[in-house]
Amino acid sequence: MKKFTLFTLSLFTFSLCSAQIIEFTLADPQPDLVDVYAGSFASGDIDGDGDQDLLIAGQTPSKETALYLNDGAGNFTEVTSIPFPEATDTVTIFEDLDLDGDLDLFFSGNGPADIQEFAHIYLNDGMGVFSQLTNPFLPQFLSKGAAIEDVDDDGDKDILVSALDKNNNFVADVYLNDGNANFTPLGSTGITPVKFASIAFIDVENDGDSDVIISGTQENDAALTRLYLNDGLGNFSPETSTNFEQLAADDVDVADTDNDGDLDILMSGSDNDFNVRTILYVNDGDGQFTELSTGMQETFAGANAIADLDDDGDQDIVIVGSQDGGVPNIFTIVYENVGNNEFLEAVTAGGEYIAACVVDDFNGDQLPDIIIQGIADRTNVFWNSSDVLGISDTSHQLLKVYPNPASNRLLISASDVIQSATLHNLLGQELFVKTGPSTQLELDVSAQPSGTYLLKIQTQNGTETLKIVKE
């Protein structure tokens, strides 16, 4: 991974150069990754060497699961001995579940005949070696239906599940973490259970707790999309003031797409009449959402992603999926955000359906790459070759951010008053905010995994977004 020294720049009232160009190149040769569809990816630094490793699960048509270590330049080496089952219809999430500073794994799906539906927790020893931890209270299920967040604000990560379990029971509950990756059901009654659920956490009213939006299929086979508000303790209740279209969404993503400080919602799927939709809902800052006409391709049977792909400070969108009938009406399209939620088609890279995608910096050039799996062309890696031209400067403020890379703390100083500093991951998800007013701020980044982050600094003279590296 590239290293940065003391970062000092003269910045003016912040405006990004409009000549950013998003480009992706199909990797040639392709990394030697398992060719699958109907599965999932997970990326993260599992061995503590500062680069993004990769887990792939899916179907070939046989069930496959493969774990790869990255050398930092996008060269992947398969780990030949792993405890994970071969599986399809999976959820795979790297997250520090036992608070020891490394990335553990939540893994659910459809395994071999002797396992079938499963949901397992695997603990990491810090070197990328995993061992299964028994969690008898977790429901066993396949397909989508799980997301991880600290819903009760006790410092550890909990699991929300909405699914049809292996006993054909509809379940929806929060499973609270004791801090050691042992999970017990909270007994939630406010969430309507759906199967094939797409779940995304979102703080809709900026009150500091994690609300959640869930989309899927109810027991009566009707589609349901619903937002649930968190009371701060992990108890959720439906919020019905926004009239979300009722979708069986294949993907729900959350990010601040218009840079106004609140989180917006992107979803793709089909409604009760099998109409295919891709919808961007814009947040007004008070948790009220309005559908925005974007002109983006409407898809289902796919996956989307939101990330700053051209390093210009706003969130771009990747759409992967199909129209009715599959081939040839399949799509992989990258849309550039040119500001104010205006999206322009920048890249068309073939197409996929029954698909999954992951966006992360795999080759260490500080730009997010894309890996896609699907039934049409299986697994493909696209390197980000965008022409990033940087920032145009118009004021005389001196801003310093150091050390960069940072291990435990990050110092920010400015000649102007700093109002706030917000740390985001490369998907645009807000991790934490430090507020002023002050000409100096200190950020504790010790709890963040190694990797690249976006630091958004708001001063009296404007806003600057910088990349920082956590060692």
Side-chain angles (χ1 to χ4, degrees):
M1 178 174 289
K2 290 184 179 178
K3 299 294 183 181
F4 292 82
T5 54
L6 175 66
F7 197 113
T8 304
L9 70 157
S10 294
L11 72 104
F12 308 122
T13 301
F14 180 66
S15 67
L16 285 164
C17 177
S18 62
Q20 311 297 331
I21 301 174
I22 296 180
E23 294 180 348
F24 281 86
T25 304
L26 181 66
D28 185 14
Q30 279 285 314
D32 188 16
L33 304 175
V34 63
D35 281 320
V36 295
Y37 66 97
S40 62
F41 296 103
S43 65
D45 181 10
I46 64 170
D47 53 359
D49 64 353
D51 53 46
Q52 301 305 297
D53 307 303
L54 184 66
L55 178 70
I56 305 177
Q59 191 167 321
T60 63
S62 62
K63 298 171 183 177
E64 298 281 352
T65 300
L67 179 66
Y68 299 91
L69 297 181
N70 188 353
D71 69 353
N75 300 303
F76 295 95
T77 301
E78 186 173 358
V79 179
T80 57
S81 179
I82 57 174
F84 318 134
E86 309 289 343
T88 187
D89 298 312
T90 54
V91 177
T92 47
I93 305 172
F94 284 131
E95 189 68 72
D96 184 5
L97 298 175
D98 57 0
L99 301 179
D100 65 351
D102 54 45
L103 294 177
D104 309 303
L105 176 66
F106 173 86
F107 188 9
S108 67
N110 183 12
D114 60 334
I115 297 177
Q116 297 182 341
E117 293 97 327
F118 69 90
H120 293 168
I121 301 296
Y122 296 92
L123 299 184
N124 187 351
D125 69 354
M127 302 298 292
V129 177
F130 292 86
S131 56
Q132 185 179 346
L133 178 66
T134 301
N135 267 266
F137 295 110
L138 287 176
Q140 311 299 296
F141 66 98
L142 60 82
S143 192
K144 299 170 297 179
I148 296 177
E149 186 55 90
D150 180 9
V151 301
D152 57 354
D153 199 28
D154 64 351
D156 53 44
K157 297 291 187 175
D158 311 299
I159 302 173
L160 191 154
V161 174
S162 178
L164 181 69
D165 72 12
K166 69 187 309 177
N167 298 314
N168 288 320
N169 295 317
F170 276 75
V171 296
D173 207 344
V174 172
Y175 296 83
L176 296 179
N177 190 347
D178 68 355
N180 296 306
N182 300 299
F183 294 90
T184 55
L186 176 62
S188 301
T189 58
I191 298 175
T192 300
V194 292
K195 62 182 177 180
F196 314 131
S198 294
I199 305 171
F201 285 103
I202 175 173
D203 183 1
V204 299
E205 70 274 68
N206 289 317
D207 62 354
D209 55 41
S210 295
D211 312 303
V212 68
I213 184 165
I214 305 175
S215 180
T217 303
Q218 300 176 77
E219 193 167 2
N220 63 3
D221 290 328
L224 179 68
T225 298
R226 184 165 290 171
L227 179 66
Y228 299 90
L229 299 183
N230 188 352
D231 68 355
L233 300 174
N235 301 298
F236 291 91
S237 58
E239 201 286 323
T240 58
S241 61
T242 296
N243 186 25
F244 290 103
E245 184 160 346
Q246 300 308 302
L247 294 182
D250 298 284
D251 199 10
V252 176
D253 295 277
V254 168
D256 183 4
T257 63
D258 50 4
N259 274 336
D260 63 352
D262 53 50
L263 294 174
D264 311 300
I265 299 171
L266 175 72
M267 61 179 66
S268 290
S270 55
D271 65 16
N272 287 313
D273 295 320
F274 305 104
N275 297 308
V276 177
R277 296 299 316 277
T278 292
I279 305 172
L280 179 64
Y281 289 101
V282 177
N283 191 344
D284 69 354
D286 294 320
Q288 303 298 308
F289 294 87
T290 303
E291 180 179 341
L292 180 69
S293 177
T294 63
M296 288 187 288
Q297 178 63 52
E298 297 186 305
T299 60
F300 82 120
N304 304 327
I306 306 176
D308 184 3
L309 299 174
D310 53 357
D311 195 25
D312 66 352
D314 53 37
Q315 301 302 304
D316 309 297
I317 290 176
V318 183
I319 301 287
V320 182
S322 172
Q323 278 283 302
D324 252 344
V327 177
N329 298 313
I330 57 176
F331 307 93
T332 298
I333 303 174
V334 177
Y335 292 92
E336 180 180 358
N337 188 345
V338 296
N340 298 316
N341 272 331
E342 181 181 352
F343 294 91
L344 300 180
E345 184 174 324
V347 177
T348 300
E352 272 299 355
Y353 71 116
I354 314 180
C357 73
V358 60
V359 176
D360 214 330
D361 177 18
F362 291 107
N363 61 0
D365 64 356
Q366 313 307 311
L367 291 172
D369 309 299
I370 302 173
I371 305 178
I372 297 171
Q373 60 165 275
I375 196 170
D377 201 25
R378 304 300 198 265
T379 306
N380 280 292
V381 176
F382 297 86
W383 299 131
N384 192 333
S385 51
S386 300
D387 183 11
V388 179
L389 301 181
I391 299 167
S392 62
D393 300 329
T394 53
S395 83
H396 297 290
Q397 177 187 344
L398 184 66
L399 177 70
K400 294 182 180 180
V401 179
Y402 60 95
N404 194 3
S407 297
N408 297 308
R409 63 177 188 154
L410 193 68
L411 301 176
I412 306 170
S413 66
S415 58
D416 190 17
V417 174
I418 304 170
Q419 304 289 357
S420 65
T422 307
L423 190 69
H424 299 261
N425 61 25
L426 287 180
L427 298 180
Q429 297 166 329
E430 182 180 303
L431 302 177
F432 65 82
V433 180
K434 185 71 176 287
T435 59
S438 176
T439 57
Q440 291 186 324
L441 288 180
E442 179 177 322
L443 276 62
D444 182 359
V445 295
S446 60
Q448 306 304 321
S450 298
T452 304
Y453 297 85
L454 300 175
L455 181 64
K456 183 178 180 180
I457 303 169
Q458 177 72 50
T459 73
Q460 288 180 330
N461 279 341
T463 304
E464 174 64 287
T465 302
L466 308 173
K467 280 196 174 182
I468 64 104
V469 176
K470 166 65 187 337
E471 293 182 316

